[in-house]
Amino acid sequence: MSHYDIIQKPVISEKAYAGMERGVYSFWVSKDATKTDIKGAIEKAFDVKVVGISTMNVRGKRKRVGRFIGQRADRKKAVVRLAEGQTIAALEGQA
């Protein structure tokens, strides 16, 4: 699996942007990726040093349209902490 397959997209939320000031970034990742896979993909894609990773499985929300009930897909989120003083420049300007 290449790092393009592991990292799907960054998480866009107020909480994620607040973490960027402290060097903590959030990404949606592949559901079968391990912490070591995610660490290697982040380091290779953005040329940074990863200090810590937390992962969580996020269940899809149940949504209703009229009388029909559906469910969004389950996803996996990774919260990545970078070494002191390092940033991901590609994500800093999105706020």
Side-chain angles (χ1 to χ4, degrees):
M1 221 191 287
S2 74
H3 61 279
Y4 295 111
D5 297 328
I6 294 172
I7 305 169
Q8 294 175 350
K9 62 182 176 179
V11 174
I12 309 296
S13 68
E14 290 184 21
K15 189 173 184 179
Y17 284 125
M20 287 182 190
E21 298 171 359
R22 301 183 323 249
V24 177
Y25 295 85
S26 301
F27 296 94
W28 295 116
V29 295
S30 174
K31 287 199 314 187
D32 55 344
T34 62
K35 287 185 178 184
T36 51
D37 293 339
I38 296 167
K39 179 180 178 179
I42 297 291
E43 289 179 347
K44 186 175 180 180
F46 299 109
D47 195 32
V48 292
K49 176 73 175 139
V50 174
V51 176
I53 295 177
S54 298
T55 60
M56 58 204 78
N57 290 313
V58 180
R59 294 187 55 186
K61 291 183 178 180
R62 291 178 58 128
K63 291 294 180 175
R64 180 177 166 155
V65 179
R67 64 181 180 156
F68 302 104
I69 297 175
Q71 185 170 354
R72 291 184 181 168
D74 297 339
R75 301 188 282 180
K76 187 172 191 176
K77 183 164 74 170
V79 179
V80 178
R81 189 165 36 97
L82 301 182
E84 187 70 33
Q86 291 194 336
T87 62
I88 297 176
L91 300 178
E92 291 293 326
Q94 300 211 359

